[in-house]
Amino acid sequence: MKYLDEYRDPVLARRLLDELRDTVTRPWRIMEVCGGQTHTLVRQGIDELLPAGMRMIHGPGCPVCVTPLETLDRAMVIASRPGVILTSFGDMLRVPGSDTDLLSLRARGADVRVVYAPMDAVRIAADHPDREVVFLAVGFETTAPANATAVLHAARLGLANFSLIVSHVLVPPAMTALLDDPDCEVQAFLAAGHVCAVMGWREYEPIAARHRVPIVVTGFEPLDLLEGILMAVRQLESGRYEVENQYARAVRRSGNTEAQDAVREVFRVTDRAWRGIGALPASGLELAEGYRKFDAAHRFDVAGLRPAEDPECIAGAVLTGARLPTDCTAYGTRCTPRHPLGAPMVSSEGTCAAFYSAGRTRRTGSTERSTTSESRRTA
């Protein structure tokens, strides 16, 4: 296949669904880790076309959604200080902190700039030696190499006015934490293809063996996901629990070793808090000792913030797959993409936003509320 449309071929999709129905003999529960995969599943209605009893559990793989509230509050405290240029990818600007968001701060005069790569922030620092330039570095293993490269380049240039707010999280520890939960219902995983393009899939092999769960590295288009689900079901039906690679056009077992070397040079593994989930051991990255001077949290002395989440938001339960967005009493009413209570509703990869944009409904007693009509009213 050479063209994107071929990964969305409805004829091939029906064939895969027919084969899936012919293969399934019992209900299975499969978690897709990545928020991008969630959006494809929900937008295309794939989760509703699966054989009776099969269920997709939507996992915590949205980097914006799992960025801790205290990280956002630190960014806003720093952005509010004179002489600071706070840079970030655009998807972070509307994520709510305790009291406000970065977009609102910018409207009030803070110098908050959207960049398209961390190297853009390095260039801004080089062009403004009299200003402190801070980059909000969030994401899974996918974005860590680019952020590491930015730090290495800033070090080579001798930039004393460039720093990062680091909030990187790692996928394998999150999968392990979910599986260690005695209430976990996940029987197989679809692993995120872009993470594995960087890290490979060797880290997943001990998880599959220890917990006896199939793990299929999967892409993001409808046919990728349908084939990945079929591969996982074949393993489940035959009693196998291996790591398989559906995303062969982009992923190899060893991953991108040069990218991994850059990450190991600049970062070290640390415990990390996940928004709505809590602290997970060895599940994140922080700057290594030799690059600690680029750590904005220490430079600006904002490491001690301890904010509280909105008590109405059930983001944690949504991110772990324990609840659906439509289980939330605020979904589609007090919580919408224009006025989000939590990150999963504002993020482009959030499960709540995926359900809302697809017009998924919630039930209150015998009344079903359409989020599609709600979106028309608030547009």
Side-chain angles (χ1 to χ4, degrees):
M1 294 184 179
K2 298 180 180 179
Y3 304 104
L4 189 61
D5 286 349
E6 292 182 294
Y7 294 96
R8 302 174 180 178
D9 187 320
V11 175
L12 291 178
R14 281 191 288 269
R15 290 177 184 172
L16 287 168
L17 281 166
D18 289 341
E19 189 170 354
L20 185 60
R21 293 188 187 99
D22 291 340
T23 304
V24 169
T25 64
R26 68 192 77 175
W28 298 110
R29 295 176 295 278
I30 301 172
M31 173 177 279
E32 84 280 2
V33 172
C34 175
Q37 294 173 335
T38 300
H39 267 256
T40 299
L41 289 167
V42 174
R43 185 175 61 248
Q44 302 293 334
I46 293 172
D47 58 329
E48 296 181 324
L49 295 173
L50 298 178
M54 271 199 69
R55 182 161 67 91
M56 297 302 302
I57 300 175
H58 310 303
C62 165
V64 176
C65 299
V66 300
T67 299
L69 189 59
E70 56 263 35
T71 298
L72 290 159
D73 284 356
R74 287 172 192 167
M76 284 177 258
V77 169
I78 292 171
S80 300
R81 295 188 179 180
V84 170
I85 301 173
L86 192 288
T87 61
S88 170
F89 294 142
D91 56 359
M92 295 301 300
L93 263 62
R94 292 192 61 250
V95 182
S98 295
D99 302 307
T100 186
D101 55 44
L102 289 169
L103 192 63
S104 299
L105 274 185
R106 185 169 72 174
R108 295 200 292 266
D111 196 344
V112 177
R113 304 185 188 184
V114 173
V115 295
Y116 297 95
M119 288 296 289
D120 294 341
V122 175
R123 283 190 284 271
I124 292 171
D127 292 342
H128 297 82
D130 58 330
R131 307 279 298 277
E132 286 284 346
V133 177
V134 182
F135 178 68
L136 180 52
V138 306
F140 289 91
E141 296 93 329
T142 317
T143 56
N147 292 334
T149 300
V151 170
L152 291 170
H153 189 58
R156 284 193 293 268
L157 294 177
L159 294 179
N161 64 326
F162 175 75
S163 58
L164 303 180
I165 302 171
V166 180
S167 188
H168 278 300
V169 288
L170 306 175
V171 173
M175 293 169 66
T176 300
L178 288 168
L179 291 168
D180 284 340
D181 186 334
D183 295 325
C184 178
E185 296 184 345
V186 177
Q187 296 169 295
F189 282 102
L190 302 185
H194 49 10
V195 170
C196 294
V198 174
M199 301 304 297
W201 70 76
R202 287 179 293 194
E203 295 176 292
Y204 298 96
E205 291 170 344
I207 299 174
R210 175 190 165 195
H211 293 277
R212 302 173 70 88
V213 293
I215 300 175
V216 180
V217 180
T218 313
F220 306 91
E221 293 301 319
L223 295 188
D224 290 327
L225 290 162
L226 283 169
E227 186 176 28
I229 292 168
L230 178 59
M231 293 167 70
V233 166
R234 285 172 176 162
Q235 285 202 52
L236 289 166
E237 291 283 343
S238 63
R240 293 183 293 119
Y241 37 92
E242 303 166 3
V243 180
E244 290 186 286
N245 182 25
Q246 181 277 333
Y247 204 34
R249 66 185 185 275
V251 174
R252 57 187 179 184
R253 182 172 180 268
S254 59
N256 184 327
T257 54
E258 290 185 3
Q260 294 167 25
D261 289 344
V263 172
R264 280 191 290 266
E265 166 69 18
V266 172
F267 297 109
R268 69 174 188 179
V269 175
T270 186
D271 299 343
R272 178 67 69 193
W274 294 52
R275 186 170 190 173
I277 298 174
L280 299 179
S283 68
L285 298 174
E286 66 179 4
L287 288 163
E289 189 62 37
Y291 298 94
R292 191 62 56 83
K293 63 183 179 181
F294 294 103
D295 188 338
H298 291 284
R299 180 177 296 190
F300 292 91
D301 191 25
V302 291
L305 299 178
R306 293 292 182 269
E309 293 280 0
D310 188 307
E312 192 173 13
C313 182
I314 64 166
V318 171
L319 290 169
T320 57
R323 304 283 294 277
L324 290 174
T326 47
D327 294 330
C328 179
T329 58
Y331 171 82
T333 54
R334 290 177 298 284
C335 184
T336 67
R338 290 186 65 186
H339 302 285
L341 290 182
M345 182 58 89
V346 69
S347 167
S348 61
E349 293 188 355
T351 302
C352 297
F355 272 59
Y356 189 93
S357 64
R360 297 291 174 91
T361 57
R362 62 173 294 268
R363 293 182 182 275
T364 306
S366 59
T367 303
E368 186 173 66
R369 174 180 291 275
S370 169
T371 59
T372 303
S373 60
E374 169 67 14
S375 66
R376 294 195 187 102
R377 287 197 297 273
T378 58

